[in-house]
Amino acid sequence: MRNLSAKILTTAAFLGAALLSPALSADLEWQLNKASFDDSKLGPDGKPALKIEPGGSAILKLSDSTTSGSVSMAVWDDGTKVIKEKGPSGIGPRWGVSSSNGQVIVGGIMYARYLAEGGSLCIIDAKPSEPGSWYSLNYLGARKETNAWQTWKFDFNAQTGLHIDFNGKPVEEKRFDWNTTQLDGMDGIVIYGDETGKPNAQTLYVGDIQYTVGPAMVAKPTPPPPPPPVVPDSDPKATKVYSLKLELQGKHPRLMLTAEELPKLRKFYNSPEGAVYREKIEGYVGASRVSVGDKWLKNPTDSQRQGFWRVPTVALHYLMTGDKESLEATKQHLRDFNAQPHWELGNERDSGMSAANIMVGAALAYDWIFDELEPEFRKEFGEKLLWHARAMYYGGHLKGNPPLHYWQNDPANNHRWHRNAGMTLCILAVYEGREDQQWILQKTVEELHFIQKWLPTDGSCHEGPNYFTFGGNHLTCAFDAADIALGTDLMSAEYFKAAGQFRMGTLLPSMDGIFSFGDGGKGSLGTYNNFLFAGASHNQQADIKDGLLTLQERQPDAFMFGWFSLLWDDPDLKRGDFKKLPTDTLWEDVGFASMRESWEQDVVAASFICGPFGGYDLLKFANGGRDYVNVAHDDPDAGEFLIAKGGVTFVKTDGYSKKKASKNHNTILINGMGQMTRGRPEGTVWSQPSTSKGTEMTQMAYVTSWKTTDKIAAIEGESSGSYLSYSKQGQSRPDLERFRRSFLWVEGDYILVLDDIRSPERVEIDWLVQGDDITPLEESEGRFQFVSEGQTMDMQLFCETELDNSLRDSPADDGGKLLGYRQLMASTSAEQTRYTSVYDPWKKNVSVEFAANGPDKATVTVTGKDFKDVWTWEAAKDNETASTITVERESGDKIGFPFTVDDSSNCIMWKHLEIAAAH
């Protein structure tokens, strides 16, 4: 090997004759762009290293043609994380060899949402003239945290091909296979600088560059044989044959509406009650007539725009009005879809989110204007819809396509619901009982029944009260279409009966935001609430309908794209009165409760959550947590409470966090760490289920008691199962023995929170609460004030062990951006302690006193301007039963007192016990 460490190198100076190829140039000269040899940085050989600045390059031509040979170099990675968060893409520094066909093979640092935070080391087969080809990468590994030289060797053996060594070890074939590249040899050395365009872009140093040049290559890349087609020529024979309803056989429309229903639907469309939907449709139909283009082939957001929003809008507009311009636009959209051989490109070809949403729009438009289509095109497009239904099932549900199969592992994943909507509508649009249609319809119906079986019966969503709208419309499209066309009874699932109440219970009193948990964003309502009309209509819930219409009147953008609501809002169901709905409700599956004074707009309301990742129905499906399920959007927030008045939230949570950690929430930390599942530390972009094959996920967090009266609502949760022992990277803690939080809502007077925390050894406990701003009032008495949007709420905090209170900027984020909250951290060191905090949203000048009566009993006295309440607090005897808590009102209005929560009458044996006992 020869060493290169000068700006211009000649063959006479550095190459022996035996190494020269006949095609080798007489002189070798570096082509340097924003690059130079730097005397201040020496390589491992003690000679000046080559410095490549951001946007620079260094290229050394070794041959006029492709040859064998090898190149080695040492690369200095200074650890700069140019893009620190996971998500944004960026091209970092790269180094390697080139070929005369314009291809290069390089090692490099790359940034992308599917790579590690701060960038990953990759091997890339690219064509520099095509910038997008840099992302055709092979992941090699995580970057080292410390500055270090790393050695790379690219060895083109004339007989066996290219082999790469990294730090003296061969790169495994699963990380890099020369036979999958287009490099048939090498002709030079290439080094490229950081191209992220960031202010902190990394400067690259490369030293100890050595090479040999050998004879012409004999071996050539031999690509593996192509896999069999994902979609076979034919399907198995159906074991159960379904039939369309007799009146729909050979008839259209049949998807989500029928010809018999059209006159009534047109009347509703033109009625005062239907005006809100008519205005949305007609206000959007202009945009819906514009060409669909082809961006959607690789862009799931655009596929929703075209397939789920625009095409159904313009097609339904024609059905309602007979508008010829809308008819022609719908036909053109179908022609544009038909002209594309695929409806999604990339790894999930024809089985991803893009294909799913295009399938929805294509199937609905085909069905709704069926009689207006030319017979030849109608037949051709019908066959295309059938093929795409099969492609979705084979490539997606049967995992025929190669990427991560995150959505096939559980029934609650909304990405699965998108795909099911596309598949269902496509096969039902064309089904006439042909033998080649029977199997895919059978599998589709089986899939829908599978989803129905595992829907949470309480209408909740473990991913959050915003996220549940993202899949709800798609789920309803599939279920509603199957019920209408086949006579199934999918919409009778308890989920649809309960989902409307879940939506209402998660709303702030003003209805301009939500009590968020999981990936709820910054309290957004979402835009897809339309499907809730279907549940209200199916179950004839007049009061829920009134609540949804009221929400729509106050927040029109929460019900976008009027075609959904026009089909699902039953005009025969008259508005009830949403103010008759329950004000205090618990959703058992996720351990979420909300309570409010009334359904007026300017009242006080609160929420509390204490449940495991995924919710109990999903964990039951997963054998108590033994099997993998997708909990990416769940937060480590067990025990969190929120308090609001009207549209102002005083006690706040994080948004769609990019670093999911308990320090973003109103809960506790133990030795600086929050809640986690076994083998999965907190602080990641996506939460993950336990790596254990046990059922401990069901024990992460659960409600031990729930009791309500007209005056008091009490909920208590245990979440010590989320505080697992940990010892890594200088941090450690034991398994927490208890974190019991009792949340006591005394309507019109105050909110009291009691915390019982126990550990087998002394630990550091950080008690957290946060809001827009928190200011001290009397710190010596634990008095603070929340300030938000010009309104205030006082609180007082007491702990039976010595506290160190501090106010700090909260780390809570939304999409990686800090939310700017202030956080109160009340820290103590103890094996066992109890916190008591009281909140005064009703301005009753409340104060709290705590008196211990041994380690398991205490008296808590809350005094306000017109009352004095004495609470007797006795610790639970174990972690599965409730504390015994009784309150007597010594002075003031005694209506609603005494009130008692105890194990014998109020402890609810949650589903986690059923799951654990079953296994």
Side-chain angles (χ1 to χ4, degrees), residues 584-602:
D584 306 328
T585 309
L586 171 68
W587 288 270
E588 299 179 8
D589 191 59
V590 292
F592 174 81
S594 72
M595 51 223 74
R596 64 190 68 227
E597 293 179 84
S598 70
W599 288 100
E600 299 300 330
Q601 293 189 58
D602 196 35

Side-chain angles (χ1 to χ4, degrees), residues 808-827:
R808 64 174 192 169
D809 291 335
S810 169
D813 74 295
D814 181 64
K817 183 178 180 181
L818 291 177
L819 288 166
Y821 298 159
R822 291 289 283 170
Q823 187 176 71
L824 170 61
M825 176 185 285
S827 303

Side-chain angles (χ1 to χ4, degrees), residues 6-204:
K7 295 182 180 179
I8 299 177
L9 308 173
T10 66
T11 58
F14 291 96
L15 288 179
L19 297 176
L20 292 178
S21 162
L24 195 64
S25 303
D27 294 302
L28 301 181
E29 181 176 346
W30 283 100
Q31 300 174 38
L32 302 179
N33 171 34
K34 299 175 69 175
S36 61
F37 284 89
D38 189 346
D39 293 338
S40 67
K41 185 71 172 178
L42 303 181
D45 58 353
K47 298 179 181 180
L50 188 57
K51 175 183 178 182
I52 315 294
E53 298 177 19
S57 63
I59 298 173
L60 183 68
K61 192 77 167 177
L62 298 178
S63 172
D64 292 334
S65 63
T66 299
T67 71
S68 63
S70 70
V71 171
S72 69
M73 61 188 76
V75 177
W76 180 264
D77 183 359
D78 67 4
T80 299
K81 295 182 177 179
V82 176
I83 301 175
K84 296 180 181 180
E85 68 272 21
K86 192 169 183 177
S89 299
I91 301 169
R94 291 136 292 150
W95 50 87
V97 296
S98 60
S99 177
S100 60
N101 65 2
Q103 294 286 131
V104 300
I105 189 80
V106 295
I109 299 169
M110 297 290 287
Y111 303 88
R113 63 178 177 81
Y114 49 86
L115 298 173
E117 286 192 44
S120 295
L121 285 174
C122 302
I123 296 175
I124 312 164
D125 170 29
K127 194 168 188 175
S129 62
E130 299 174 3
S133 66
W134 293 114
Y135 287 98
S136 297
L137 53 82
N138 298 278
Y139 173 79
L140 182 60
R143 299 171 64 192
K144 292 184 179 297
E145 293 294 329
T146 56
N147 297 346
W149 287 104
Q150 298 176 348
T151 60
W152 290 75
K153 183 179 180 181
F154 301 85
D155 186 6
F156 274 97
N157 184 291
Q159 303 298 322
T160 60
L162 174 60
H163 306 274
I164 300 177
D165 289 356
F166 174 57
N167 285 338
K169 295 182 179 180
V171 174
E172 298 176 332
E173 186 175 302
K174 67 179 181 180
R175 297 294 184 196
F176 171 73
D177 182 0
W178 175 59
N179 287 310
T180 64
T181 75
Q182 300 180 50
L183 246 72
D184 54 2
M186 70 175 201
D187 75 344
I189 302 171
V190 291
I191 306 171
Y192 303 100
D194 191 310
E195 293 182 13
T196 57
K198 299 289 184 180
N200 62 332
Q202 186 173 359
T203 296
L204 176 69

Side-chain angles (χ1 to χ4, degrees), residues 305-324:
R305 181 179 297 110
Q306 306 303 339
F308 205 52
W309 308 346
R310 291 183 173 178
V311 172
T313 294
V314 72
L316 190 60
H317 181 255
Y318 166 69
L319 279 187
M320 294 299 98
T321 66
D323 188 296
K324 296 300 182 182

Side-chain angles (χ1 to χ4, degrees), residues 400-460:
N401 284 326
L404 287 173
H405 296 292
Y406 66 97
W407 60 268
Q408 294 97 329
N409 295 302
D410 70 66
N413 192 283
N414 57 66
H415 288 210
R416 185 180 195 135
W417 297 356
H418 282 232
R419 291 163 170 87
N420 285 347
M423 182 171 68
T424 302
L425 295 176
C426 277
I427 182 55
L428 289 179
V430 300
Y431 189 74
E432 292 297 344
R434 284 175 10 201
E435 187 172 353
D436 63 336
Q437 300 170 335
Q438 293 171 358
W439 181 83
I440 187 59
L441 180 60
Q442 176 189 345
K443 293 302 174 184
T444 298
V445 176
E446 289 174 358
E447 168 71 10
L448 298 183
H449 281 298
F450 167 71
I451 300 300
Q452 183 198 43
K453 176 181 178 180
W454 293 107
L455 286 172
T457 55
D458 63 2
S460 67

